[in-house]
Amino acid sequence: MSVKVSLLKNGERLSREEFHLRYKAMDENIKAELIKGIVFFQTKVTATHAQSSAKMISWLGFYSIKNLHSSLSNHVTFIINGKNEFQPEAILRIDEDFGGKSWVNDDDYLEGAPELIVEISASTASYDLHDKLEIYEQKGVQEYIVWRVLDNQIDWFSLEKGKYQRLSANNQGIIESKVFAGLRLNIKAMLEENLQQVLTDLQKGLQSKKYKEFAKQLSVL
């Protein structure tokens, strides 16, 4: 005899196990996350959000294609702990066999502490810059990028001694990852939707001595 599973309700408090069980029974077009034990339904995706997401995926995808020991995921279910289960916009991680701190579990979901997570957010008021930032920080996610589309701002955080510190762009308007050598983002170009310039600057990072040493180091782990 099958057991009827109750549908999720926005705002209700659940354990991660209960959330996951009930979420699996929902229509696959419904997107929800569990943040600090509270269910949050994701709102309809605007064109601006979708376009920003596509550009971030293009940027990270270009890097991942070149770095054979990294993996890029989009909206993968990320199981964090007993009260949190997210579906981040993008996750770039080092493969576990090459020193990465995250893994795919037996149910084909992600666990551990991925090296880089990206979220597309509405504004500073979003939980992406509050609850999620705190949870990723505690989990040990080394870098966290939030693109605030309404504020036209990209925030890049790096974990330093257990606390996130916001990284600043250099004189050329570029921020480079402290984890993934050669992963450079021209902030101004990205905000201006100049993806060609973004990828040109990324290509320079992939041609750098620092990146080549990084890729060689991963290959011998």
Side-chain angles (χ1 to χ4, degrees), residues 16 47 54 59 68 92 122 162 164:
R16 194 209 61 78
W59 170 63
L68 300 180
L92 182 66
Y164 276 139

Side-chain angles (χ1 to χ4, degrees), residues 151-165:
D151 298 330
N152 198 35
Q153 180 70 41
I154 294 175
D155 303 296
W156 191 325
F157 301 92
S158 175
L159 197 63
E160 307 289 343
K161 297 181 180 180
K163 292 292 183 181
Y164 276 139
Q165 303 296 324

Side-chain angles (χ1 to χ4, degrees), residues 200-218:
T200 295
D201 288 317
L202 174 56
Q203 182 62 41
K204 292 177 181 177
L206 291 167
Q207 294 172 343
S208 68
K209 180 180 178 181
K210 186 177 179 181
Y211 170 75
K212 292 176 182 178
E213 291 175 348
F214 172 67
K216 183 178 179 180
Q217 180 183 5
L218 286 182

Side-chain angles (χ1 to χ4, degrees), residues 160-221:
E160 307 289 343
K161 297 181 180 180
K163 292 292 183 181
Y164 276 139
Q165 303 296 324
R166 184 181 273 104
L167 300 181
S168 299
N170 63 17
N171 293 335
Q172 288 75 47
I174 293 172
I175 297 178
E176 181 168 346
S177 170
K178 292 190 174 184
V179 178
F180 293 97
L183 181 62
R184 299 177 181 178
L185 178 60
N186 185 321
I187 301 294
K188 184 174 182 292
M190 182 65 91
L191 292 174
E192 293 178 347
E193 302 185 7
N194 186 351
L195 189 58
Q196 181 175 350
Q197 185 61 53
V198 168
L199 297 182
T200 295
D201 288 317
L202 174 56
Q203 182 62 41
K204 292 177 181 177
L206 291 167
Q207 294 172 343
S208 68
K209 180 180 178 181
K210 186 177 179 181
Y211 170 75
K212 292 176 182 178
E213 291 175 348
F214 172 67
K216 183 178 179 180
Q217 180 183 5
L218 286 182
S219 66
V220 298
L221 289 176

Side-chain angles (χ1 to χ4, degrees), residues 57-200:
I57 294 298
S58 297
W59 170 63
L60 292 171
F62 190 91
Y63 182 89
S64 185
I65 288 172
K66 300 293 183 179
N67 189 325
L68 300 180
H69 307 309
S70 67
S71 297
L72 174 64
S73 300
N74 175 227
H75 290 300
V76 65
T77 292
F78 175 30
I79 296 174
I80 300 173
N81 54 33
K83 291 186 176 181
N84 297 284
E85 182 176 312
F86 300 164
Q87 290 183 319
E89 201 76 34
I91 291 180
L92 182 66
R93 65 189 192 90
I94 297 172
D95 292 339
E96 186 183 3
D97 292 342
F98 297 93
K101 305 300 183 184
S102 61
W103 60 91
V104 177
N105 67 20
D106 293 339
D107 294 322
D108 206 26
Y109 302 121
L110 195 64
E111 292 191 51
E115 283 67 36
L116 173 65
I117 290 180
V118 176
E119 297 278 12
I120 307 296
S121 175
S123 69
T124 53
S126 170
Y127 51 71
D128 291 330
L129 272 174
H130 297 280
D131 291 338
K132 280 191 173 183
L133 184 146
E134 177 184 328
I135 291 164
Y136 288 148
E137 183 180 75
Q138 293 174 349
K139 189 65 177 178
V141 174
Q142 295 181 57
E143 294 190 312
Y144 180 39
I145 298 174
V146 180
W147 186 343
R148 293 183 275 130
V149 293
L150 297 184
D151 298 330
N152 198 35
Q153 180 70 41
I154 294 175
D155 303 296
W156 191 325
F157 301 92
S158 175
L159 197 63
E160 307 289 343
K161 297 181 180 180
K163 292 292 183 181
Y164 276 139
Q165 303 296 324
R166 184 181 273 104
L167 300 181
S168 299
N170 63 17
N171 293 335
Q172 288 75 47
I174 293 172
I175 297 178
E176 181 168 346
S177 170
K178 292 190 174 184
V179 178
F180 293 97
L183 181 62
R184 299 177 181 178
L185 178 60
N186 185 321
I187 301 294
K188 184 174 182 292
M190 182 65 91
L191 292 174
E192 293 178 347
E193 302 185 7
N194 186 351
L195 189 58
Q196 181 175 350
Q197 185 61 53
V198 168
L199 297 182
T200 295

